[in-house]
């Protein structure tokens, strides 16, 4: 959940594997032929894995939606290849979706799955190292033939050679059972096979007592123009559920109760980071009473924001899919000049292309939101994998002295609030603002408490309406660079306003008048003034979670919040003393950050880069922070960080 939610006493993000609570009374199945036991668990981690064409993302998304409607807390980790369709049956082509759901407050998608659903040999081989001994593995035996196994280096079948003895192996002929269940629909074998993911979803829905009505409604809606396909998928889903009830291989089903203590009272929905960002931008436009304009070029993993915002013209949203990254931000900056709340969305490679126009926005001092959904780099890098390696690019990646505020959300739901915060800064201080999300937040999801409209900040701003300066001879004129003494923001004059005509462009401006100036002293003054404006931005002090007077502090930013907090919970549960703090604002830093860092003997900074925040902290505060880094395209695991932090405490 989000940072405001605390877990019930005694709970951690990664509780034990043991069954929690009493076994419930046996429940009769729909056919009335058997009775199966239901056991209660406090949490489960499930990973669906298969070819990129097997529908694993859809399967995981549907299981997640039903889990959210049931009231569990949850966190997800979609993981898929960069290729649109990687070679079938190969390790690079494996797509997976991991879901962690619980009856208490959790923070991560989990370190290791309790259940792995492997649709083929490649999916098994690519994921088996993550699966702990004793976990359940459900495999589609129809795919374990000689050729698919040879593709991934299996000389003998792992289902028969004893290599999986440490696990609870459930061999299920998913393809055969699906084809048999769909005989009445007259589909070709290939068409019927496509529904095997729905059979697997039905089986898992039975195993964990998930609701089914929502999935059936979704399937009929998704395939409304192909009713036979819709009903075939529903039939496959039901067949999977019935198979779980009737087969002797699954003698027990499980129940994870709703997380009633984890959620404050309110209305909740499941939300991904990109969707939360989109809603936050729409809300910002409404709260600012300004039209929202997005100038963007599609790029993974930011494209979902363009897709979502294009659906909301009713809220005054205009979206422009440009021919390239430069055109996208150019149009957005033009919209800012014209009086819109302007946004451009991209990832790291796009930021590089937009850098000149970002510098122009700094010079023009216009509000502009640059949304960077970070991914693995450099260059094209790892388009579908996560990373935090654009921080220094956002901080310094422009020519000249061109300071830009930087905001970073920490969870998928927090992307909504971060968008509002970034808009506040841009509008108040007349500056472009970076928002640094990443692929982990963008594609991951969690429950989000829908805020009341009257709780949202008032972002309304005034446009210039007339002259603002009096000359020595008494003439009243408009000076486009005459500043607010508190914020140092210049007036925002909408083109076409009578009497407010002024020069615009990238060449250095004269203080006040905005006329072109090559004067060295003026340039020095303007550079220092623009920096002072950013330095003076009001951001909250950083809050430290330190209940026991620790000597070691772990400091994070962005999406490391979940794994860090889960690791801290583990350490405290085992009796260790450690403090935690997390940065939302990376430029400017909170005013009390130096004092906080100086109050601890050791400061550990985990990052999904090679130490970019650590570099900034060392330079700014002369604190010898300990950097712990990972750049493998995946988020940190809680146990991994707990081990690192324990070593730091003991050192």
């Amino acid at each position: 959940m989000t940072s405001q939610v605390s877990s019930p006493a005694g709970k951690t993000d990664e509780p034990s594997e043991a069954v929690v609570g009493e076994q419930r009374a046996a429940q009769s199945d729909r056919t009335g032929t058997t009775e199966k036991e239901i056991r209660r668990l406090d949490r489960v981690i499930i990973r669906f894995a298969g070819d990129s064409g097997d529908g694993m993302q859809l399967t995981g998304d549907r299981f997640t939606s039903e889990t959210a409607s049931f009231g569990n807390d949850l966190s997800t980790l979609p993981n898929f290849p960069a290729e649109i369709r990687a070679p079938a049956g190969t390790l690079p082509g494996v797509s997976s979706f991991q879901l962690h759901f619980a009856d208490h407050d959790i923070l991560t998608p989990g370190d290791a799955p309790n259940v792995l659903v492997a649709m083929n040999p490649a999916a098994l081989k690519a994921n088996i190292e993550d699966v702990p001994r004793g976990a359940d593995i459900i495999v589609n035996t129809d795919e374990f033939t000689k050729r698919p196994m040879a593709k991934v280096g299996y000389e003998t079948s792992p289902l028969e050679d004893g290599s999986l003895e440490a696990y609870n192996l459930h061999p299920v002929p998913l393809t055969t059972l699906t084809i048999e269940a769909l005989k009445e629909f007259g589909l070709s074998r290939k068409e019927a096979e496509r529904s095997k993911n729905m059979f697997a979803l039905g089986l898992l829905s039975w195993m964990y007592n998930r609701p089914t009505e929502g999935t059936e409604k979704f399937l009929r809606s998704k395939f409304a123009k192909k009713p036979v396909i819709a009903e075939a998928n529903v039939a496959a889903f039901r067949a999977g559920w019935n198979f779980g009830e009737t087969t002797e291989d699954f003698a027990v089903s499980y129940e994870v109760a709703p997380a009633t203590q984890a959620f404050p009272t309110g209305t909740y929905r499941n939300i991904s980071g990109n969707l939360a960002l989109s809603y936050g931008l729409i809300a910002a436009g409404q709260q600012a009473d300004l039209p929202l304009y997005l100038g963007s070029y599609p790029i993974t993993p930011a494209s979902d924001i363009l897709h979502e915002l294009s659906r909301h013209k009713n809220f005054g949203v205009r979206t422009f899919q440009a021919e390239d990254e430069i055109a996208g931000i150019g149009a957005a900056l033009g919209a800012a000049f014209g009086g819109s709340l302007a946004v451009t969305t991209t990832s790291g490679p796009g930021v590089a292309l937009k850098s000149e126009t970002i510098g122009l926005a700094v010079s023009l001092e216009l509000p502009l939101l640059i949304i960077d959904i970070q991914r693995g780099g450099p260059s094209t890098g790892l388009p579908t994998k996560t990373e935090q390696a654009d921080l220094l690019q956002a901080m310094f990646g422009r020519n000249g002295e061109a300071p830009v505020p930087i905001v970073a959300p920490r969870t998928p739901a927090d992307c909504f609030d971060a968008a509002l915060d970034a808009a506040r800064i841009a509008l108040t201080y007349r500056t472009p603002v970076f928002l640094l999300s990443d692929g982990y937040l963008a594609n991951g999801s969690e429950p989000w408490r829908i805020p009341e409209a009257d709780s949202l900040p008032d972002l309304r701003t005034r446009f210039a309406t007339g002259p603002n300066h009096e000359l020595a001879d008494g003439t009243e004129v408009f000076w486009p660079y005459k500043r607010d003494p508190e914020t140092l923001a210049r007036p925002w004059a909408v083109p076409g306003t009578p009497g407010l005509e002024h020069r615009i462009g990238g060449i250095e401006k004269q203080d006040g008048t905005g006329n072109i100036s090559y004067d060295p002293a003026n340039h020095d003054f303007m550079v220092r003034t623009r920096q002072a404006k950013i330095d003076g931005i009001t951001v909250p002090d950083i809050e430290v979670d330190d209940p026991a007077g620790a000597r070691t502090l772990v400091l994070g930013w962005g999406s490391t919040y979940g794994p860090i907090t889960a690791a801290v919970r583990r350490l405290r549960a085992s009796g260790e003393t450690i403090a935690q703090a997390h940065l939302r604002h990376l430029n400017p830093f909170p005013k009390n950050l130096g004092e906080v860092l100086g109050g601890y003997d050791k400061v550990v900074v985990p990052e999904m880069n090679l130490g970019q925040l650590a570099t900034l902290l060392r330079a700014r505060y002369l604190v010898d922070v300990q950097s712990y880094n990972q750049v493998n395209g995946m988020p940190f695991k809680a146990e991994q960080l707990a081990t690192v932090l324990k070593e730091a405490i003991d050192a």
Side-chain angles (χ1 to χ4, degrees):
M1 282 296 296
T2 54
S3 59
Q4 290 78 14
V5 181
S6 59
S7 62
K11 294 291 187 183
T12 65
D13 190 52
E14 301 288 346
S16 67
E17 301 289 337
V19 173
V20 178
E22 77 284 355
Q23 296 181 357
R24 292 187 9 167
Q27 175 178 302
S28 297
D29 74 291
R30 292 177 182 176
T31 65
T33 59
T34 62
E35 289 187 347
K36 294 194 176 184
E37 179 186 328
I38 299 178
R39 296 179 186 173
R40 172 168 286 188
L41 305 177
D42 67 350
R43 61 103 195 194
V44 174
I45 302 168
I46 297 174
R47 184 182 298 177
F48 298 94
D51 267 335
S52 56
D54 282 340
M56 294 297 93
Q57 303 304 318
L58 175 62
T59 305
D61 182 69
R62 289 314 313 159
F63 197 95
T64 299
S65 295
E66 298 296 359
T67 296
S69 69
F70 189 72
N72 296 118
D73 195 8
L74 60 89
S75 180
T76 67
L77 177 62
N79 186 17
F80 38 86
E83 293 81 1
I84 293 174
R85 183 65 190 270
T90 64
L91 294 175
V94 173
S95 174
S96 68
F97 188 105
Q98 183 161 305
L99 165 68
H100 183 188
F101 61 102
D103 66 1
H104 59 280
D105 171 34
I106 58 173
L107 296 149
T108 76
D111 285 0
N114 308 117
V115 182
L116 171 65
V117 180
M119 303 298 282
N120 60 18
L124 177 65
K125 189 160 190 176
N127 291 280
I128 191 62
E129 290 186 3
D130 293 337
V131 183
R133 298 169 68 88
D136 289 301
I137 299 178
I138 300 171
V139 295
N140 179 15
T141 57
D142 290 324
E143 292 295 322
F144 280 77
T145 57
K146 186 174 182 179
R147 186 176 179 186
M149 289 191 295
K151 280 186 179 182
V152 295
Y154 281 132
E155 296 182 1
T156 60
S157 173
L159 310 185
E160 301 170 356
D161 64 8
S163 60
L164 300 178
E165 287 183 352
Y167 309 96
N168 297 320
L169 182 63
H170 303 279
V172 180
L174 289 172
T175 305
T176 300
L177 291 171
T178 302
I179 292 172
E180 183 66 25
L182 303 186
K183 273 186 174 180
E184 64 182 270
F185 292 93
L187 302 175
S188 68
R189 179 181 177 87
K190 186 175 182 179
E191 289 174 323
E193 281 185 11
R194 289 174 181 163
S195 297
K196 63 180 181 291
N197 62 326
M198 289 298 105
F199 189 101
L201 178 60
L203 172 58
L204 269 293
S205 297
W206 172 83
M207 284 181 65
Y208 292 98
N209 284 274
R210 298 295 91 186
T212 61
E213 294 80 5
T215 293
E216 293 189 8
K217 182 178 179 181
F218 168 83
L219 291 171
R220 291 190 172 103
S221 174
K222 179 177 177 63
F223 299 106
K225 295 181 180 180
K226 299 179 179 180
V228 174
I229 299 297
E231 292 307 315
N233 276 282
V234 170
F237 177 68
R238 290 178 175 176
W241 178 286
N242 292 332
F243 177 78
E245 286 191 324
T246 57
T247 182
E248 295 181 0
D249 194 33
F250 295 93
V252 177
S253 67
Y254 303 94
E255 182 177 274
V256 180
T260 53
Q261 297 183 55
F263 300 110
T265 302
T267 302
Y268 288 80
R269 60 156 295 165
N270 183 49
I271 201 164
S272 68
N274 274 352
L275 185 57
L277 247 177
S278 301
Y279 288 174
L281 293 171
I282 294 170
Q286 294 296 299
Q287 294 302 106
D289 196 22
L290 294 174
L292 180 67
Y293 183 94
L294 173 65
S296 182
Y297 180 75
I299 184 172
T300 302
S303 299
D304 290 342
I305 303 172
L306 171 61
H307 301 159
E308 183 61 33
L309 289 181
S310 68
R311 300 185 177 106
H312 296 285
K313 296 181 179 66
N314 56 313
F315 286 113
V317 179
R318 289 187 177 182
T319 54
F320 169 52
Q321 180 175 321
E323 65 268 29
D324 56 38
E325 296 281 5
I326 298 171
I329 190 172
L333 185 57
F337 180 59
S340 293
L341 176 57
V343 185
T344 189
T345 52
T346 189
S347 191
V351 172
L353 293 167
K354 296 176 188 290
S355 61
E356 183 178 5
T357 307
I358 297 171
L360 177 60
V362 171
S363 175
L364 300 183
E365 300 188 46
L366 287 171
L368 173 68
L369 302 184
I370 305 115
I371 311 295
D372 178 5
I373 313 298
Q374 300 166 96
R375 72 189 204 190
S379 189
T380 308
L382 305 173
T384 60
K385 309 301 180 182
T386 195
E387 206 164 271
Q388 287 182 297
D390 293 350
L391 175 56
L392 294 183
Q393 182 183 31
M395 185 75 79
F396 302 120
R398 294 161 295 283
N399 66 297
E401 295 288 343
V404 175
I406 302 172
V407 174
R410 57 187 180 181
T411 70
D414 187 46
C415 289
F416 178 87
D417 296 319
L420 285 165
D421 198 11
R424 171 191 69 85
I425 294 171
L427 294 169
T428 302
Y429 297 91
R430 308 285 196 274
T431 178
V433 177
F434 263 103
L435 189 151
L436 294 183
S437 179
D438 61 43
Y440 172 37
L441 294 184
N443 297 315
S445 61
E446 67 175 348
W448 173 55
R449 185 185 183 190
I450 301 173
E452 298 294 334
D454 58 9
S455 71
L456 300 178
D458 185 350
L459 300 179
R460 287 174 294 181
T461 186
R462 292 183 179 181
F463 294 117
T465 57
N468 62 358
H469 183 75
E470 184 176 316
L471 299 177
D473 63 1
T475 304
E476 291 187 339
V477 297
F478 175 67
W479 274 15
Y481 282 83
K482 186 168 184 175
R483 301 179 183 280
D484 182 302
E486 292 186 7
T487 64
L488 298 182
R490 77 173 186 90
W492 194 1
V494 176
T497 306
L500 303 191
E501 297 84 359
H502 59 282
R503 185 183 295 274
I504 206 77
I507 297 178
E508 183 63 282
K509 316 296 186 297
Q510 184 182 53
D511 178 41
T513 68
N515 294 331
I516 291 176
S517 174
Y518 294 101
D519 179 65
N522 179 79
H523 177 61
D524 183 274
F525 178 80
M526 293 295 280
V527 167
R528 294 180 187 276
T529 300
R530 287 188 289 261
Q531 184 64 58
K533 181 173 69 170
I534 304 307
D535 293 341
I537 291 173
T538 300
V539 302
D541 282 349
I542 190 169
E543 297 182 0
V544 182
D545 176 14
D546 184 2
R551 303 313 306 160
T552 299
L553 170 72
V554 54
L555 176 69
W557 71 277
S559 66
T560 59
Y561 173 78
I564 289 174
T565 306
V568 167
R569 286 183 180 180
R570 289 188 179 197
L571 290 171
R572 290 177 180 172
S574 65
E576 299 293 341
T577 302
I578 188 168
Q580 178 187 0
H582 208 79
L583 283 167
R584 157 70 66 80
H585 298 95
L586 297 156
N587 192 34
F589 286 131
K591 287 183 168 54
N592 69 329
L593 180 57
E595 179 184 352
V596 167
L597 296 177
Y600 291 89
D601 295 338
K602 303 168 189 173
V603 179
V604 183
V605 180
E607 298 182 78
M608 292 187 292
N609 56 48
L610 294 183
Q612 297 189 14
L613 175 60
T615 297
L616 295 175
L617 296 176
R618 292 185 185 112
R620 177 73 178 272
Y621 301 107
L622 302 181
V623 174
D624 187 21
V625 301
Q626 299 179 29
S627 187
Y628 180 71
N629 310 113
Q630 173 176 294
V631 282
N632 62 6
M634 297 294 289
F636 287 113
K637 293 182 178 180
E639 183 61 31
Q640 169 191 7
L641 288 182
T643 300
V644 170
L645 296 176
K646 177 65 166 62
E647 291 173 352
I649 293 171
D650 294 341

